[in-house]
Amino acid sequence: MSVTFTVGVPPAVTALAQQRELGARKAVFWRRATRALILWPLTLVVMAVAITIGLLGWHLPALVLVAALLVGIGLWRYSGTPECVVVYEHGLVCCLGRQRRSVRWDEAHYSWRGAADMAILPQEDALEETGLADAPDLTGTDGRIMLRRVSGMDRLQQLVDAELQLRAFDRGRAQLEAGEQADYPPLAITAAGIFANTGKGTVNARWAALHSYGHVGGVVVINAFFKDAAKGRIAKEWFRGLVADATAAHRVIAATNPNQGTPQAEEAADLVADDIMAEAAEVQQRSRQRHRWAVLQGAAFAAVVLGGAAISTIHLPEHGLGYSAVCGGHPASRAASYNPGNGPHPIDFEGGSGGFAGVSDNAGVLDDEYGQWIPANAADVQLVACVTGVKTDATIGNCDYEGGVDVPLKNEQYTLTVYAAQTGTQVLSPKEIDGDPSTCPDSIETDNGSGPSSFHAKLTLSDVESAVQALVNN
């Protein structure tokens, strides 16, 4: 199975634009990106898992998980069927996979704009097809070119309207001056009034019956006067719907209405231009807001991913110098290399149950006599000594305190194993060491003259140091 990546305008689109002499490219619109409501939860869950397993010592799987997230996002965004709309100086080209359609501005007959899509009906068009014909997703009713599922739809609509609305206005005025009707489906504007095809038949309103009219986006709203038995003559909505070239239709209605106060044709044309300029300014402002928001989201996404990846490569410093994962055989890439024969080798002690004094503070394990064993920093560690203990019920002595308090001292059997920190390889087989019978606590707290039920013997520093001395100094 092959994967196709699309990171630029497909060459076939550029070739078609050159063939159709569409001129310089003005803007490119791609299929809509993943919504943040989907991307952010997915990213946060993946990064939480990566950080968790990374802090447990599985650095490579954590980084692989982060990489898989980025690759997955890249595959979603840039692979698969390319969907694009490329706007040029004299027209546009849209593509869906191997399907491509183009239209020049002077070929466009009608255009409709919905809330999140747009359609253009050409008088003539160039339809390029290769392979299987899946045109129904690119071609709508009557051969309309369907523009949808792209980011920045409001910007695309504004660019198309800037080219087509004045043309549509001039076309409508020319039709009326020729004694014909100006068609803006489903509306038809005549010298006598407006006709509307509602889908269930045609209704009409004469100019004298009109109260007001306007448009929002691609929707035209017309209010007319009606007779009411109780209230007499009242105004209410007569038509509301998606209309071809709604901006032009609105201004042609205004220029054609013979009632006093309506603009002349030249003034109405200026109003079309004003509408286009006002929309361009509004779209530009929204575009700047989206750009700022995208930059903020991008920075936040990068911080989460890069920060999470960085965190997933470190250890939680719960014991010693943070090399507890090495005790499970996991390599620590930040550690120094261990090469036998070049001692002394800096060593980190990681404690387990019970442990001994200072086992969770590396500097407390080794005294001045063993100063060369102490790593200057965590990156100098070559060896990791792992100490675990198992408590037993075997009594090996008593701890005597003032007031006649006598506490049994039970044995704890310790196991000490040494690993090469960088590779996680065991370099000293497990050594079994019994707790020292002389490790009674210096003082205790009593309750009504009674002390704790028992203590367990601890390791002494000398036991630990002697167990690893030959390995460290070698």
Side-chain angles (χ1 to χ4, degrees), residues 60 76 103 158 162 239 300 375 398 467:
L60 182 59
W76 183 92
V103 62
Q158 183 268 317
F239 174 86
N398 286 297

Side-chain angles (χ1 to χ4, degrees), residues 325-356:
V326 176
C327 296
H330 301 294
S333 57
R334 65 189 177 110
S337 176
Y338 166 66
N339 297 302
N342 298 318
H345 305 283
I347 188 169
D348 173 40
F349 288 86
E350 297 290 339
S353 174
F356 52 90

Side-chain angles (χ1 to χ4, degrees), residues 6 74 122 152 180 301 309 346 388 457:
T6 304
E180 303 172 357
F301 180 80
T388 59

Side-chain angles (χ1 to χ4, degrees), residues 48-176:
V49 173
I51 290 172
T52 300
I53 64 177
L55 292 177
L56 291 175
W58 297 304
H59 299 156
L60 182 59
L63 293 177
V64 167
L65 188 59
V66 175
L69 171 67
L70 297 177
V71 170
I73 293 174
L75 286 173
W76 183 92
R77 185 65 183 86
Y78 296 109
S79 69
T81 303
E83 295 182 46
C84 65
V85 178
V86 187
V87 179
Y88 295 89
E89 182 181 1
H90 301 300
L92 62 77
V93 179
C94 55
C95 70
L96 173 61
R98 293 174 294 181
Q99 299 288 317
R100 294 172 293 279
R101 292 196 66 181
S102 68
V103 62
R104 292 178 58 88
W105 302 132
D106 54 13
E107 297 171 346
H109 195 46
Y110 299 120
S111 66
W112 293 263
R113 56 180 294 177
D117 59 4
M118 195 169 196
I120 300 175
L121 179 62
Q123 297 172 357
E124 299 177 11
D125 69 284
L127 174 61
E128 297 289 327
E129 292 190 27
T130 57
L132 298 177
D134 52 1
D137 202 38
L138 188 61
T139 303
T141 306
D142 302 327
R144 300 177 188 182
I145 298 177
M146 305 304 297
L147 311 177
R148 53 192 175 191
R149 293 198 303 269
V150 296
S151 296
M153 178 56 73
D154 58 344
R155 171 64 173 156
L156 173 59
Q157 291 173 332
Q158 183 268 317
L159 287 175
V160 173
D161 276 355
E163 298 291 344
L164 298 185
Q165 293 308 304
L166 278 172
R167 297 172 188 268
F169 176 84
D170 291 340
R171 182 186 69 242
R173 291 297 304 164
Q175 290 171 332
L176 287 167

Side-chain angles (χ1 to χ4, degrees), residues 110-112 165 183-186 218 242-247 249:
Y110 299 120
S111 66
W112 293 263
Q165 293 308 304
D183 288 319
Y184 299 96
L242 198 66
V243 173
D245 301 309
T247 301

Side-chain angles (χ1 to χ4, degrees), residues 146 239 261 296 367 434:
M146 305 304 297
F239 174 86
L296 289 174
D367 54 27
D434 286 331

